[in-house]
């Protein structure tokens, strides 16, 4: 089983050599020692969430955290030619966090909160700060759970106008829509650049938004016969793209 990973944001650059002892303290260290019950002699990985990480053996553990002796550097992840981005409309309850969790586990590179016109959940300025912080925390935890060394970026929320500008910059934008006639599998993919997936709210993407996205270069696509929830549509689309 792959060793668990914990975030050590102040990881030195260049990475500390084998034999160096690192302290994992604070909330992350407490979680590792008390919640995950990591003990002396176990192997863990410590990463900065941006692709750099070391593996090491726990030489001491207490309620405050872990002391880890570095044994090796892990290969730095080289970004591929394609960058996958999900523009996700907020959903009710904890469904937004579920969407972020699933997207992260499936390998999304960037998540853009989109304030769609039909979204039941409205983010005021103050609420947007707190909601984005929850999304960032969810992405961080999901990255650890899935043993990936990079935490996807969660950007500032965008309006529909802001999202249109992102569509113009992307190599390909796929607008998930239940009335689309083109299957996702039939769309040719670019060799490089940003592929953006737009996931609407529970109320669906408004006709004027769909028209504006299409005019900007977005491609409405159909995932299948069934209409998926806002929390699951994105991850199904991303999985289909990555498998291709």
């Amino acid at each position: 089983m792959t060793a668990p990973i914990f975030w050590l944001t102040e990881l030195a650059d260049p990475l500390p050599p084998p034999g160096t002892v690192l302290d994992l303290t604070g909330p992350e260290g407490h979680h590792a020692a008390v919640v995950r019950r990591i003990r002396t002699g176990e192997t863990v990985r410590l990463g900065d969430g941006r692709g750099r990480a070391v593996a090491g053996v726990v030489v001491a553990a207490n309620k405050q955290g872990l002391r880890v002796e570095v044994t090796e550097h892990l290969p730095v992840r080289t970004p591929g030619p394609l960058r996958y981005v999900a523009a996700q409309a907020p959903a009710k309850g904890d469904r937004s966090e579920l969407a972020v969790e699933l997207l992260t586990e499936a390998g999304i590179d960037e998540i853009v909160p989109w304030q769609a016109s039909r979204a039941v959940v409205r983010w005021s300025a103050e609420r947007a700060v707190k909601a984005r912080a929850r999304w960032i925390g969810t992405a961080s935890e999901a990255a650890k759970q899935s043993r990936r060394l990079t935490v996807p970026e969660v950007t500032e929320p965008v309006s529909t106008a802001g999202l249109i500008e992102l569509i113009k910059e992307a190599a390909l934008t796929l607008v998930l829509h239940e009335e689309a006639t083109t299957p996702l599998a039939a769309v040719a993919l670019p060799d490089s650049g940003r592929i953006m997936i737009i996931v609407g709210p529970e109320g669906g993407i408004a006709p004027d938004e769909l028209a504006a996205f299409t005019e900007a270069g977005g491609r409405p696509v159909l995932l299948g016969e069934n209409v998926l929830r806002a929390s699951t549509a994105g991850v199904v689309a991303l999985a289909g793209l990555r498998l291709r």
Side-chain angles (χ1 to χ4, degrees):
M1 181 177 179
T2 306
I5 186 167
F6 301 98
W7 304 131
L8 187 64
T9 55
E10 65 274 17
L11 197 59
D13 188 9
L15 292 173
T20 304
V21 175
L22 302 175
D23 289 317
L24 181 68
T25 57
E28 193 76 349
H30 178 81
H31 177 79
V34 177
V35 179
R36 294 294 305 275
R37 298 180 181 273
I38 303 297
R39 295 293 181 258
T40 301
E42 293 189 49
T43 299
V44 297
R45 297 185 294 169
L46 303 179
D48 62 3
R50 299 183 296 276
R52 301 168 59 251
V54 299
V57 176
V58 178
V59 296
N62 55 43
K63 292 181 179 181
Q64 284 68 49
L66 308 177
R67 300 204 80 189
V68 179
E69 181 177 342
V70 176
T71 56
E72 64 175 324
H73 296 172
L74 298 180
V76 177
R77 174 182 177 269
T78 302
L82 292 173
R83 180 174 175 84
Y84 294 95
V85 181
Q88 177 75 47
K92 294 183 294 184
D94 62 355
R95 293 193 179 278
S96 290
E97 285 74 25
L98 176 60
V100 171
E101 179 181 16
L102 294 175
L103 286 166
T104 300
E105 292 179 357
I108 200 72
D109 295 302
E110 182 181 327
I111 301 172
V112 180
W114 165 44
Q115 190 63 74
S117 64
R118 287 183 173 177
V120 176
V121 177
R122 309 302 299 180
W123 284 8
S124 63
E126 181 179 355
R127 185 174 185 179
V129 172
K130 295 179 179 178
R132 179 175 178 243
R134 287 197 302 272
W135 284 30
I136 291 173
T138 299
S140 176
E141 290 302 312
K144 289 193 296 184
Q145 172 64 34
S146 56
R147 307 296 201 272
R148 59 181 285 185
L149 300 182
T150 56
V151 179
E153 177 186 1
V154 178
T155 72
E156 296 284 350
V158 298
S159 63
T160 295
L163 188 54
I164 289 172
E165 294 304 311
L166 294 180
I167 293 174
K168 295 176 181 178
E169 297 172 359
L172 174 66
T173 296
L174 304 172
V175 186
L176 308 186
H177 198 273
E178 68 272 15
E179 295 181 1
T181 56
T182 302
L184 175 66
V187 177
L189 303 183
D191 294 326
S192 62
R194 291 162 58 93
I195 296 181
M196 185 160 64
I197 305 164
I198 297 181
V199 184
E202 290 97 338
I205 298 175
D208 60 328
E209 290 172 330
L210 181 62
F213 294 161
T214 303
E215 183 178 355
R219 298 280 304 276
V221 294
L222 186 68
L223 288 181
E225 296 179 356
N226 303 325
V227 177
L228 302 180
R229 289 184 178 271
S231 55
T232 55
V235 70
V236 171
L238 177 61
L241 292 172
R242 291 183 67 87
L243 286 172
R244 291 175 60 185

